[in-house]
Amino acid sequence: MLGGKQYTVDQLINALLVASAGDATCALSTAKIPNDEFVSKMNAKLNSLGLAETYFTNPVGLDGFNGEHHSSAWDLY
């Protein structure tokens, strides 16, 4: 629930993809597992893809705590 309302997965994915809604990302990521476990899975996926210069600290991927979230130009490429 966001703001006391319930949304379908389709609505959250549309908000995420169309409006870049970070709150939709957070809601989807914590629907089944804790936030820290989801972020850990994100970082494991990065490693499996060979993206060694990227590290996430939250499901949104745009900001981080104390500058810990980072990505290189090469990984973005």
Side-chain angles (χ1 to χ4, degrees):
M1 285 196 315
L2 297 173
K5 294 183 179 182
Q6 290 186 345
Y7 297 91
T8 66
V9 170
D10 283 343
Q11 289 171 319
L12 291 171
I13 290 174
N14 284 333
L16 168 67
L17 296 175
V18 175
S20 297
D23 54 346
T25 303
C26 291
L28 285 167
S29 68
T30 58
K32 299 285 184 184
I33 59 175
N35 185 57
D36 58 338
E37 187 177 340
F38 186 84
V39 173
S40 178
K41 288 180 180 285
M42 289 173 62
N43 288 314
K45 183 65 175 181
L46 291 171
N47 290 333
S48 75
L49 295 172
L51 303 175
E53 297 176 18
T54 298
Y55 179 78
F56 292 119
T57 59
N58 62 54
V60 178
L62 295 176
D63 52 4
F65 307 109
N66 300 323
E68 293 174 1
H69 171 86
H70 60 272
S71 189
S72 69
W74 181 252
D75 280 0
L76 291 173
Y77 169 72

